[in-house]
Structure formats: C-alpha cells, structure tokens
Amino acid sequence: MSFTWGPATGVGSMPGDDAREAAKTVTGSFEDFPFLAELPARGPGADMIGRTAGMLVDLYARVEPSGWRIGDRPGRDTKRARSWLGEDLDALEEFTQGYEGPLKVQAVGPWTLAAALELRGGEAALSDLGACRDLAGSLAEGLRTHLAEVRRRVPGAQIVLQLDEPSLIAVLRGQVKSASGYRTHRAVDRQRVESTLRDVVGVHTDGPVVVHSCAPDVPFALLRRAGAAAISFDFALLTERDDDVIGEAVEGGTRLFAGVVPGTDGPLSDPAGSVMGVRTLWRRLGLHPGLLAEAVTVTPSCGLAGASPEYARRALAHCARAARSLADNPE
C-alpha cells in the first residue's frame, strides 16, 4: 500500500477543555496531516494514561491518590475516559468531512503503560512480567477497536497510529521507581521489550506506526526492529552519538518526526531557523538534501498541554511553515 506522509503534524496533547475548538485548530493548522487532539486539562481520564486505560479490553483502571490502578470492573473513571474520547472523535469527525489523507491517533505504548498503571497492591504492573503481558494483550485488542472506530468515522483517512513511550528508556535501564520510591524496578530484557512492542505495533495492519518519545537516548534501532515506520522525538535532545543510528534509520526508510518547535510558551524563531538543525544534521550525515522533505515530518518538541491556547495555535502554524521551508530550501 502506498502511503503519503504529511510534512508537519502535532504530537497529541493540546491546552484547554473544548474538543470542538481543539479539532478546529488542528484541522485548520494541518490540512494534510491532522491528528486526534488530547485535552488532559479536563482531568483524570483525559490524561494520556487514563485515556489509554479507557481503551483496554477486559481490564479496567480507576484513579487512586497515587495514580491509576487496575481494578475488577469499569467504574466512573473508565466511563469518563471513554466519554471524553467519544467527544473528541465526534469533534474530529465534524471537522474532517470528506477528508482524504493521513490522520494520526495516539495511545500510550505497552511499556509506559506498564510503568504507570498500578496493580491491586499498589506496585507498578512493570513489577510483574505476567501482568505486562496481559496489559499488552488488552491494549492490542483495545487499539483494534479504536482504529476501526476512527476508520468508520473518517473513511477517507489513512490512519497513522502513534504509540507514546516516554518511559521506555527508564524501563530498559531499570530506572522506574517502586511504589515506596526507595528502589527501582529491575531493567526489562531488551528482547522482551522489543517483542512486546512488535506485537502491539502489529495490530495496525493497514497503516504505519510511529513511536514517540521526548526523552533523551531514544532507542532508534530497537524501535525500527519492532516495526516502527517512523520515530518521533525531541530534536534538541539529539547528540552526535545518535548520528549513526539516525543515518541508518533514514537510509532504511524510517521517517523522522523531528520535534523542533518548543512545546511551551516562548518566542519562536523564523520557520527556516527552526529547521536549521535538521539541515545541519543532514549535511553532517552526508545525506542528499532532496531526501529531507521525503524523510522528515516537522512537529512540536512534545505535547502542547502546558502551553497557552494562543501559543499552541502559533506553534502548530509554525510547524507547517517550517516544513514548507524545509521542502523549498533543503540546502
């Protein structure tokens, strides 16, 4: 299946609590690569963990003072999460009538979910590899249902699934804190991490999957082996140590979602200045400038939940202009 990526898009979260306003902003900013906005300001269930917990099949979670905890049956927190997701889908459907092209939806990946969701005793699901396996299976089923629902509502869309994995590095390095905070959970074997990711990535059979992490040291090679067609990251956190894996990724056909526009309020440079670092990286790697627009989608550095609504609008518009600058002047 041939697939055309959009030149720019957002990461996922937006400020405020008005689903229609968010959908209008997103579809107006990215006419060729909109995304389903997340609005965590609405409270528990609209945050990324709660939203994805609401998608799980035969597993339910509720809010405890310490965070989200797996329970026996759907309670009001699950219902609230599902209701808000429905509201967001209604708004997206309204503003994408007749739309054809790539459309991105986001969910938390299996390892960040395992690091964040608590078992009944209060310890992270990450502490129990059987629980991790059940969680990944439930997530896979929930994503199948969610993707089918998005396809039904926006039939002309080519759906891109983004898995958010901000805790992946901490899981691989044994840096996820226990409930007491005095120790950390053991590092999970890299092959297990990779195979679980591959299983969840494999759910989306008719479109590409992008894995997003705005933490340092994104494991590009592992994510590519797990089947990610694109990797989304905070460009400012790259170091020259990452050059080789990025060069290999681009040459292997992996798309880069380069987070170059700050996610919180501040001055924005000119659009060409925002992608200067991407051009510099390209030169350093000896890659052909003509490949740039084919290999890079421009995004904010992370979600925009912490930004003001006015800045979020400007940041999204800035991403679109920076992507145009990259395409027009790749040198």
Side-chain angles (χ1 to χ4, degrees), residues 104-156:
K104 184 165 71 68
V105 298
Q106 306 82 221
V108 175
W111 292 108
T112 295
L113 204 58
L117 283 184
E118 298 172 358
L119 299 173
R120 286 176 186 78
E123 209 50 87
L126 190 65
S127 63
D128 178 335
L129 289 175
C132 291
R133 192 172 53 244
D134 292 347
L135 197 53
S138 173
L139 173 63
E141 284 306 310
L143 287 173
R144 275 194 192 93
T145 305
H146 178 51
L147 291 165
E149 176 67 6
V150 178
R151 259 191 301 273
R152 185 182 70 74
R153 288 169 176 264
V154 194

Side-chain angles (χ1 to χ4, degrees), residues 55-112:
M55 293 180 192
L56 297 174
V57 172
D58 297 332
L59 277 179
Y60 310 101
R62 63 177 187 272
V63 180
E64 296 285 338
S66 53
W68 285 89
R69 184 171 297 183
I70 294 170
D72 297 325
R73 56 187 178 276
R76 67 167 186 265
D77 297 322
T78 300
K79 292 191 179 86
R80 196 188 300 124
R82 290 176 178 172
S83 163
W84 275 329
L85 178 57
E87 208 176 281
D88 294 337
L89 286 166
D90 288 345
L92 181 74
E93 184 178 0
E94 179 185 341
F95 287 99
T96 50
Q97 293 294 313
Y99 174 73
E100 292 183 358
L103 166 69
K104 184 165 71 68
V105 298
Q106 306 82 221
V108 175
W111 292 108
T112 295

Side-chain angles (χ1 to χ4, degrees), residues 39-326:
L39 302 173
R42 292 182 293 199
D47 60 300
M48 69 181 209
I49 299 298
R51 186 184 188 86
T52 301
M55 293 180 192
L56 297 174
V57 172
D58 297 332
L59 277 179
Y60 310 101
R62 63 177 187 272
V63 180
E64 296 285 338
S66 53
W68 285 89
R69 184 171 297 183
I70 294 170
D72 297 325
R73 56 187 178 276
R76 67 167 186 265
D77 297 322
T78 300
K79 292 191 179 86
R80 196 188 300 124
R82 290 176 178 172
S83 163
W84 275 329
L85 178 57
E87 208 176 281
D88 294 337
L89 286 166
D90 288 345
L92 181 74
E93 184 178 0
E94 179 185 341
F95 287 99
T96 50
Q97 293 294 313
Y99 174 73
E100 292 183 358
L103 166 69
K104 184 165 71 68
V105 298
Q106 306 82 221
V108 175
W111 292 108
T112 295
L113 204 58
L117 283 184
E118 298 172 358
L119 299 173
R120 286 176 186 78
E123 209 50 87
L126 190 65
S127 63
D128 178 335
L129 289 175
C132 291
R133 192 172 53 244
D134 292 347
L135 197 53
S138 173
L139 173 63
E141 284 306 310
L143 287 173
R144 275 194 192 93
T145 305
H146 178 51
L147 291 165
E149 176 67 6
V150 178
R151 259 191 301 273
R152 185 182 70 74
R153 288 169 176 264
V154 194
Q158 292 179 299
I159 300 170
V160 177
L161 170 63
Q162 174 178 307
L163 296 174
D164 291 318
E165 282 284 14
S167 301
L168 185 61
I169 300 298
V171 168
L172 287 165
R173 291 183 177 168
Q175 294 169 339
V176 176
K177 282 195 162 58
S178 65
S180 68
Y182 293 125
R183 58 181 189 85
T184 55
H185 294 292
R186 223 193 339 245
V188 181
D189 175 73
R190 291 182 83 85
Q191 284 180 316
R192 186 186 291 269
V193 168
E194 186 184 317
S195 71
T196 300
L197 271 171
R198 189 181 298 113
D199 290 346
V200 177
V201 166
V203 162
H204 191 28
T205 50
D206 55 0
V209 174
V210 49
V211 178
H212 167 72
S213 173
C214 45
D217 299 326
V218 174
F220 285 89
L222 183 152
L223 296 177
R224 290 178 60 219
R225 288 195 304 272
I231 299 170
S232 168
F233 56 95
D234 180 346
F235 192 84
L237 297 178
L238 287 185
T239 68
E240 293 197 14
R241 278 204 319 269
D242 298 306
D243 280 7
D244 288 349
V245 286
I246 288 180
E248 283 166 20
V250 172
E251 287 174 345
T254 304
R255 193 169 185 89
L256 305 181
F257 278 44
V260 296
V261 176
T264 48
D265 292 43
L268 291 168
S269 71
D270 65 301
S274 292
V275 286
M276 183 75 75
V278 182
R279 290 193 185 93
T280 305
L281 171 69
W282 233 244
R283 278 197 296 274
R284 208 165 64 225
L285 296 176
L287 293 167
H288 191 278
L291 257 181
L292 259 175
E294 287 174 36
V296 175
T297 290
V298 175
T299 73
S301 57
C302 211
L304 294 168
S308 66
E310 196 270 332
Y311 175 81
R313 279 192 292 274
R314 283 195 299 126
L316 296 187
H318 193 84
C319 286
R321 284 198 297 271
R324 251 194 316 278
S325 152
L326 209 50

